[in-house]
Amino acid sequence: MDRDIPLKGLLSIILRSHRVFIGRELGHLNLTDAQVACLLRIHREPGIKQDELATFFHVDKGTIARTLRRLEESGFIEREQDPENRRRYILEVTGRGEEIIPLILKVEERWEDLLFRNFTDEERRIFREMCRRLAEEGLRIRGDEP
């Protein structure tokens, strides 16, 4: 691989490779990597509001709404109107969604294991910490506090 690829290009290669891997491993479920990320977050935080999910992923409300609509149409999540604010939606993973969570977690773990197979545990930990710090700084630069 060319050693002169800018950081943005390197990150793009990793993210696109993840997208292809998820598509190959979970293709039978017809889930995108964005849908997988949302499904996992809702699983980890049942009852999260749609706008909170958009904030968590730092995406606009329209993007999250489209992603969630597809998950709902596929029967993986339910969106229920918040009785305290009818413009908000409360999100829950359905039984069908819960059934595929273990598979998704296994695939994500396999991705990371493959990605880091030539790293020590310490290098992996340091890399993750550095990426977290870079992400936080990126959010600050664009005007979103982490």
Side-chain angles (χ1 to χ4, degrees), residues 16-120:
R16 284 181 302 176
S17 297
H18 178 261
R19 191 174 304 124
V20 169
F21 181 82
I22 291 298
R24 185 174 58 232
E25 297 295 312
L26 300 175
H28 64 285
L29 299 173
N30 294 315
L31 291 172
T32 66
D33 58 332
Q35 291 168 335
V36 167
C38 286
L39 187 59
L40 288 176
R41 188 69 209 161
I42 298 165
H43 168 75
R44 288 187 182 116
E45 195 175 333
I48 190 171
K49 311 289 189 301
Q50 185 169 319
D51 57 332
E52 294 168 342
L53 195 63
T55 300
F56 178 82
F57 286 116
H58 300 278
V59 297
D60 65 78
K61 291 177 183 179
T63 298
I64 210 75
R66 285 187 297 277
T67 301
L68 294 174
R69 186 179 65 247
R70 290 185 197 112
L71 283 170
E72 187 177 31
E73 289 169 354
S74 298
F76 295 122
I77 67 160
E78 292 176 340
R79 290 191 298 176
E80 184 178 312
Q81 217 169 32
D82 185 342
E84 296 174 14
N85 181 345
R86 298 181 60 74
R87 293 181 300 170
R88 292 177 77 177
Y89 289 92
I90 300 170
L91 308 170
E92 299 283 344
V93 177
T94 63
R96 181 170 190 237
E98 289 294 344
E99 288 175 5
I100 65 169
I101 293 293
L103 172 62
I104 291 171
L105 292 172
K106 183 179 174 183
V107 168
E108 289 288 0
E109 181 180 351
R110 196 158 141 249
W111 162 255
E112 279 202 25
D113 288 345
L114 289 169
L115 190 66
F116 286 103
R117 64 182 159 204
N118 295 315
F119 289 74
T120 66

